[in-house]
Amino acid sequence: MSHQDNKKQILFIFTSASKTLLDNPTGWYLPEAAQPYYTLLPHFHITFASPLGPNPPIDQGSAERYKEEESSAKWLVDPTVKEKLDTALKLSEVNHEDYAAVFYPGGYGPAIDLPTDEANIKICSEFFRAKKPVTAVCHGPCAIVNATDAEGQPIVKGRTVTGISNAEEEIAQKKKDVPFLLEDKLVEKGGNYVKAEKPFDAKVVVDGHLITGQNPASARGVAEELIQLLS
């Protein structure tokens, strides 16, 4: 992963889960990866990883819904993106010292595998303990709920955070597809959960080196805050 310039590296961690608890197809949510990717790309090198490594599954519904959206359309035909997905690292191969920050796109997939994936919990905890930005959007914060700080406390404890709200889950009618509701879990872990006034409006929260976004509309904003934090 050596580069001749001085750009920092950012790690995108994707889900490897392709089915929800109800066996519905899922994966990672296209615009929540594509918008941050192209926002960050001029400033950083970006590496992809997932629990199982290459070709983490895309949520096909999101690919269909957002195929006309600029970043998403670009992503779907971008040969560099395809190569990064084809060669995504396994989380067990990742060394946090190689990266300046970690980002978790959403989708229902991250609610299924990342909360309990031991390699993910370890990596996320290491980033946080090293005071490197831990960033996530929508269901992405599901990946951070079991990460701990140097004292062994949840990284969200006592911190202001957001993520997909119970109201948004209700509207999407997917509550039984996931093992827990993220809003409830963040509160259970001691987080100060906040959300936008209206469902699916953008909401981005920065608390120290933890950056969270509530929903698809918040994806680009999370990346913009990360640029500020690392500049």
Side-chain angles (χ1 to χ4, degrees):
M1 295 288 164
S2 60
H3 296 279
Q4 296 311 308
D5 57 43
N6 290 322
K7 282 185 184 174
K8 293 173 179 169
Q9 285 252 42
I10 294 184
L11 182 68
F12 274 41
I13 295 183
F14 292 86
T15 180
S16 291
S18 60
K19 293 281 168 72
T20 70
L21 296 185
L22 296 182
D23 221 29
N24 289 316
T26 191
W28 48 269
Y29 208 70
L30 175 57
E32 295 172 5
Q35 292 176 6
Y37 177 82
Y38 291 113
T39 303
L40 294 167
L41 195 60
H43 310 276
F44 306 102
H45 294 293
I46 299 171
T47 299
F48 294 173
S50 76
L52 300 180
N55 294 308
I58 189 172
D59 180 308
Q60 289 298 341
S62 72
E64 191 55 40
R65 179 178 297 177
Y66 288 92
K67 64 185 180 192
E68 306 292 327
E69 188 270 322
E70 187 184 359
S71 295
S72 299
K74 188 173 173 183
W75 172 287
L76 290 171
V77 296
D78 188 328
T80 305
V81 166
K82 184 182 185 311
E83 186 189 350
K84 285 177 194 269
L85 290 168
D86 287 346
T87 58
L89 300 173
K90 282 188 177 169
L91 289 184
S92 56
E93 303 166 346
V94 168
N95 180 353
H96 81 94
E97 291 177 1
D98 295 338
Y99 306 95
V102 63
F103 171 70
Y104 294 95
Y108 285 88
I112 305 297
D113 60 348
L114 294 178
T116 53
D117 184 273
E118 291 298 333
N120 176 62
I121 294 168
K122 177 174 178 283
I123 290 163
C124 186
S125 301
E126 286 170 344
F127 269 98
F128 192 83
R129 293 173 190 189
K131 305 226 173 337
K132 294 177 177 179
V134 171
T135 67
V137 67
C138 200
H139 284 91
C142 291
I144 74 174
V145 295
N146 290 316
T148 55
D149 63 17
E151 280 71 53
Q153 296 295 316
I155 67 171
V156 301
K157 186 177 179 182
R159 292 185 173 85
T160 302
V161 287
T162 192
I164 191 162
S165 68
N166 290 353
E168 288 165 333
E169 292 280 29
E170 194 77 57
I171 292 164
Q173 298 184 313
K174 290 273 184 88
K175 284 165 74 170
K176 292 197 164 60
D177 280 280
V178 289
F180 56 82
L181 293 176
L182 180 56
E183 177 179 335
D184 292 348
K185 182 65 77 174
L186 289 169
V187 172
E188 178 194 311
K189 293 284 182 177
N192 169 33
Y193 179 86
V194 296
K195 62 184 178 183
E197 282 184 28
K198 286 200 216 118
F200 300 107
D201 278 1
K203 180 77 172 178
V204 176
V205 178
V206 183
D207 192 329
H209 54 291
L210 188 59
I211 306 174
T212 47
Q214 186 180 328
N215 46 34
S218 313
R220 193 175 273 112
V222 169
E224 288 165 349
E225 291 292 353
L226 179 54
I227 292 168
Q228 292 298 319
L229 214 51
L230 288 177
S231 62

